[in-house]
Amino acid sequence: MIVAVAADHAGYSLKEALVPRLREAGHEVLDLGVHAPQPADYPDLAQAVGGVLTSGKAARGILVCGSGVGACVAANKLAGVRAGLCHDSFSARQGVEDDDMNVLCLGARVIGPELAYSLVQIFLAARFSGAERHLRRLAKVRAIEDRCGTCD
C-alpha cells in the first residue's frame, strides 16, 4: 500500500521510527516531512498528506504531532480526508471499518513507538465494511462537506 506520512517537529522522532518499519513491511512510503526536528506547523503537513490522498497518489495517510489533536483538526478541514486520532487498537480498526477513515493521527507525546506501530498496522490492515448504515452516514458526511465548502 502507498502510505503518505508526515509529522511536525514534535512528531519527528516517532515518524522517523515508523517509516523504516513501514518500508520493511512492504509499504511504499511517501515521507512528506519534516526531515529534521526543526519547528514546523502541523497544518502545512496535514495539507500535504491530504493533497497526496485526494490526488490518488496514496491510499492512506499518517500524521504525527505532539498530541495528535492539532494534526487531526487540520486534516479534517480538507475535502475527502477522514482523519481520526487513535491511541487504542479498537479506534484504529473501527475508524476504518465503520467510518472509512483514511488518515491516522498519532500523538508522539502520548504514545511510544511500539504502540504507534501496532496502531499503524491495524489501521493499514482494516477495510471499510461497506455496510448500508455506514454508506448512509458517509453520504451525510460528504453532504456536510459539500455544503460547508461553499459556506461564507
Side-chain angles (χ1 to χ4, degrees):
M1 179 181 299
I2 301 174
V3 182
V5 181
D8 69 1
H9 57 285
Y12 169 76
S13 293
L14 183 56
K15 177 189 73 78
E16 290 297 299
L18 293 173
V19 167
R21 293 182 78 177
L22 285 165
R23 289 186 173 133
E24 288 169 12
H27 298 286
E28 181 179 338
V29 177
L30 304 177
D31 185 345
L32 304 176
V34 296
H35 301 292
Q38 59 203 24
D41 295 332
Y42 60 80
D44 299 330
L45 297 149
Q47 192 165 10
V49 168
V52 170
L53 286 178
T54 57
S55 73
K57 294 178 183 170
R60 301 263 175 97
I62 299 168
L63 284 168
V64 188
C65 70
S67 68
V69 175
C72 190
V73 168
N76 278 310
K77 299 297 183 186
L78 304 168
V81 172
R82 293 170 304 283
L85 172 60
C86 300
H87 292 140
D88 65 272
S89 59
F90 175 80
S91 299
R93 186 188 78 253
Q94 180 271 337
V96 176
E97 291 176 350
D98 293 2
D99 305 309
D100 202 19
M101 179 174 74
N102 57 8
V103 175
L104 175 66
C105 298
L106 300 170
R109 295 177 177 155
V110 179
I111 61 172
E114 290 308 314
L115 177 55
Y117 184 63
S118 176
L119 298 177
V120 165
Q121 289 177 300
I122 291 165
F123 166 68
L124 296 178
R127 298 292 174 259
F128 179 57
S129 71
E132 185 280 327
R133 70 184 184 276
H134 301 307
L135 290 169
R136 181 182 68 246
R137 293 167 187 160
L138 271 177
K140 290 180 178 185
V141 169
R142 287 187 184 109
I144 291 168
E145 188 176 78
D146 292 343
R147 281 193 309 273
C148 290
T150 60
C151 295
D152 293 331

